[in-house]
Amino acid sequence: METLNQNDDYVKSEIERSMRHLADPKVQHAIKVQSYIRSYVTDFLREAGYTEIAPIIISPLTDPLNHPVYDPKIHAYGGDMWITQSMIFHKQIAVQELKKIFIMSPNVRLETEEKAGTGRHLYEFTQIDIEALEKSREEMMSLAEDMIIYTISRIKKEHSEELKYFHRTLPDYQKPFPVITFREAEEKYGKGFETKLSKDSTSPVWVIDIPLKEREFYDREYPDRPGILRDMDLIWPEGFEEASSGGEREYELSQILDRIHKKGQTEEQFKWFIELAREGIKLTTGFGIGIERFTRFVCGVAKIEDVTTFPKVPGRISL
Ligand code: ASP
Ligand code: MG
């Protein structure tokens, strides 16, 4: 059977699509905005004392994620490695010595086909991945708020012509952003509240205290509230939905093992991380914020493809 990527007609039509996409003025403007966001965010973080480190593309250790994706496994040198789904563990390790870091981190998450139409999912994207040593969730929430306010205000000041192009008006968001707990959000908006909460908000809004079943094993549990994590998601307003996820990280070996078991995962899968935790690590806290989603929100466009040069839409093999 001929597969998609071997079919000449498919390749020709994809290349034509790519050329049309890159020639679209809307895409060109959005890519400029993305470039400004990259620049202002990194200016802000360096000024705040954060050191940029290079991304990791392949490793025997990557984020397990909490939703189904195809497995980006590569077999080489007699062992298995994975293309980075997120640098969560590398952040946690590197920051033990470097104290405050960030990465413009390309992530591959081979999302299933039904995510194609959400306007928010690409199977290759970049996140601004940030981590700090011995900081609390609240301190990192404050950093994220400052970073977003700084970035948006510079775009408004220095590139109002781009916002005009998109007929986009952005308010001056005030810190602190509103906060709602996961439980309150479910009570107010029902299960799967993200869309409703986002549409109902006029400022970026934090969702905190997310239950373990909704998250990966690695975020830290409240010592006195089993099953509830000291983590936070940021939701863009106006229906643009998830901006960021993050949290304080588990660092005690017994807790890490317990959590891996509770999530039904194997110690074998995380042996590199377990070995590290056995050596001893300290508390770290951080978050990751998708650059394409940030750009989509600033431009106010419906489709994430339109803020990306070579969009990878789930289900399609693309350039
Ligand atoms: N690892 C998270 C993610 O990629 C981000 C974070 O918690 O820092 O969703
Ligand atoms: Mg996440």
Side-chain angles (χ1 to χ4, degrees):
M1 205 181 80
E2 207 173 25
T3 56
L4 270 184
N5 58 345
Q6 290 166 332
N7 177 320
D8 289 349
D9 288 344
Y10 182 80
V11 172
K12 186 171 186 311
S13 79
E14 275 299 304
I15 291 292
E16 283 168 4
R17 210 155 72 102
S18 276
M19 301 312 288
R20 271 199 312 278
H21 178 76
L22 287 166
D24 181 343
K26 179 169 57 165
V27 173
Q28 293 174 6
H29 280 278
I31 286 166
K32 276 195 196 156
V33 172
Q34 187 186 141
S35 165
Y36 302 136
I37 291 176
R38 285 171 177 264
S39 161
Y40 301 156
V41 158
T42 51
D43 283 355
F44 171 85
L45 288 169
R46 274 188 255 279
E47 189 61 34
Y50 283 72
T51 303
E52 181 171 12
I53 68 168
I56 295 298
I57 305 293
I58 182 172
S59 169
L61 182 62
T62 195
D63 194 328
L65 305 178
N66 196 48
H67 66 278
V69 292
Y70 299 112
D71 192 12
K73 182 154 104 176
I74 288 175
H75 189 76
Y77 311 121
D80 292 330
M81 290 185 275
W82 281 262
I83 304 175
T84 296
Q85 298 192 129
S86 98
M87 277 179 61
I88 183 69
F89 302 115
H90 294 82
K91 289 201 295 182
Q92 209 175 337
I93 297 164
V95 83
Q96 299 293 322
E97 298 296 339
L98 296 170
K99 314 276 193 283
K100 291 161 134 192
I101 57 165
F102 72 98
I103 311 111
M104 301 305 255
S105 179
N107 289 183
V108 169
R109 298 183 184 177
L110 299 174
E111 305 286 355
T112 48
E113 288 78 355
E114 73 272 9
K115 298 270 175 71
T118 64
R120 297 184 293 121
H121 289 90
L122 295 171
Y123 62 85
E124 179 184 63
F125 65 95
T126 300
Q127 64 173 324
I128 311 152
D129 222 352
I130 300 167
E131 198 81 10
L133 187 66
E134 295 183 305
K135 296 249 185 250
S136 67
R137 173 178 69 180
E138 287 66 26
E139 287 172 288
M140 295 311 279
M141 287 162 73
S142 169
L143 180 87
E145 290 167 353
D146 287 336
M147 182 179 96
I148 288 167
I149 290 170
Y150 173 88
T151 302
I152 291 179
S153 85
R154 271 191 75 180
I155 289 180
K156 285 172 68 170
K157 231 180 274 151
E158 296 173 39
H159 295 288
S160 58
E161 77 288 355
E162 297 299 344
L163 297 179
K164 237 178 247 147
Y165 174 85
F166 288 104
H167 306 290
R168 185 77 170 133
T169 332
L170 287 167
D172 294 327
Y173 297 114
Q174 300 301 316
K175 150 178 203 199
F177 296 163
V179 178
I180 188 167
T181 68
F182 188 92
R183 207 165 103 197
E184 288 163 352
E186 266 197 350
E187 277 163 15
K188 186 158 178 201
Y189 300 104
K191 285 215 179 307
F193 53 77
E194 198 175 304
T195 310
K196 282 190 184 142
L197 170 62
S198 174
K199 284 190 175 147
D200 205 26
S201 300
T202 51
S203 156
V205 50
W206 292 107
V207 178
I208 61 165
D209 299 354
I210 300 162
L212 175 61
K213 73 170 171 22
E214 307 287 337
R215 284 309 263 266
E216 298 84 0
F217 76 83
Y218 50 71
D219 284 344
R220 180 165 171 250
E221 211 169 26
Y222 277 89
D224 52 351
R225 294 172 66 192
I228 305 295
L229 306 180
R230 288 198 43 82
D231 56 4
M232 71 291 197
D233 276 2
L234 186 70
I235 308 297
W236 291 121
E238 300 173 58
F240 287 92
E241 304 191 34
E242 188 187 330
S244 167
S245 59
E248 292 179 7
R249 318 301 183 186
E250 203 56 75
Y251 59 97
E252 284 172 88
L253 180 64
S254 59
Q255 289 285 347
I256 290 170
L257 293 174
D258 176 59
R259 212 65 60 65
I260 288 173
H261 301 149
K262 276 194 187 136
K263 292 297 282 186
Q265 282 155 331
T266 63
E267 292 186 27
E268 173 65 19
Q269 196 183 341
F270 298 106
K271 63 183 173 196
W272 293 73
F273 184 57
I274 292 169
E275 203 43 47
L276 178 91
R278 217 187 292 284
E279 295 285 320
I281 46 174
K282 293 184 190 141
L283 171 72
T284 76
T285 305
F287 59 91
I289 174 162
I291 291 178
E292 294 83 356
R293 289 180 175 183
F294 197 161
T295 311
R296 172 178 177 252
F297 171 68
V298 167
C299 297
V301 297
K303 290 196 298 184
I304 200 156
E305 295 94 287
D306 287 342
V307 308
T308 320
T309 44
F310 298 100
K312 301 293 198 311
V313 176
R316 295 189 72 90
I317 294 176
S318 299
L319 191 60

